């Protein structure tokens, strides 16, 4: 069975194919070439809820970086917002969104940046 990766916060972007990068707190185990099962939600499921698969991905680039690298280099930040599926967001808005939706996150936190292709 393939390891699961949730796209709970970005399911529409994933399904539309506009998302080719995801950022994760943790995920130090991720490696280029890994194949993962994309799911709607993997954690915090209620009793009786089942995992809903929405696709499969292969990791093509994995690296650790500070989240605020998107703010330090604005050109990079805007390019990354597009790859994250949020072309209308500024890097500041994306970093705020990420930190607000991830407990214990702050802009200078080291995160895992994962670039992928859908299979």
């Amino acid at each position: 069975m393939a390891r699961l990766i949730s796209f709970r916060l970005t399911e529409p972007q994933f399904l539309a194919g506009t998302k080719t990068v995801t950022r994760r707190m943790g995920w130090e185990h991720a490696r280029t070439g890994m194949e993962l099962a994309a799911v709607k939600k993997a954690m915090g499921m209620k009793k009786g809820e089942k995992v809903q698969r929405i696709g499969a991905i292969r990791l093509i680039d994995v690296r650790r970086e500070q989240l605020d690298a998107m703010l330090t280099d604005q050109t990079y930040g805007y390019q990354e917002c597009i790859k994250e599926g949020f072309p209308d967001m500024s890097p500041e808005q994306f970093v705020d969104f990420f930190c607000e939706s991830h407990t214990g996150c702050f802009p200078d936190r080291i995160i895992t940046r994962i670039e992928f292709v859908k299979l």
Side-chain angles (χ1 to χ4, degrees):
M1 177 191 258
R3 182 177 215 126
L4 305 179
I5 185 167
S6 171
F7 286 90
R8 179 179 61 86
L9 297 173
T10 57
E11 181 187 350
Q13 292 85 350
F14 178 83
L15 292 174
T18 59
K19 183 174 185 68
T20 59
V21 167
T22 188
R23 285 172 165 71
R24 303 293 161 131
M25 289 182 38
W27 278 78
E28 290 92 352
H29 64 276
R31 299 286 179 265
T32 299
M34 285 178 75
E35 293 186 4
L36 305 171
V39 299
K40 284 186 175 193
K41 183 170 146 182
M43 295 174 51
M45 298 182 69
K46 295 180 176 92
K47 187 176 181 178
E49 264 187 301
K50 298 206 185 304
V51 172
Q52 291 182 277
R53 292 175 186 257
I54 56 174
I57 64 172
R58 178 179 302 116
L59 309 189
I60 59 171
D61 183 57
V62 178
R63 63 178 182 250
R64 305 275 289 153
E65 67 182 28
Q66 282 189 204
L67 180 59
D68 64 5
M70 295 177 68
L71 305 178
T72 306
D73 179 346
Q74 287 284 304
T75 301
Y76 173 70
Y78 278 102
Q79 290 169 346
E80 290 297 288
C81 287
I82 293 166
K83 291 177 182 180
E84 283 275 4
F86 296 102
D88 297 327
M89 259 190 200
S90 71
E92 293 81 8
Q93 290 170 315
F94 180 84
V95 170
D96 287 347
F97 162 75
F98 190 91
C99 288
E100 288 171 8
S101 59
H102 293 78
T103 304
C105 186
F106 40 89
D108 62 350
R109 173 81 184 243
I110 302 284
I111 51 89
T112 304
R113 179 196 180 272
I114 300 171
E115 190 164 1
F116 62 88
V117 292
K118 288 171 78 172
L119 301 177

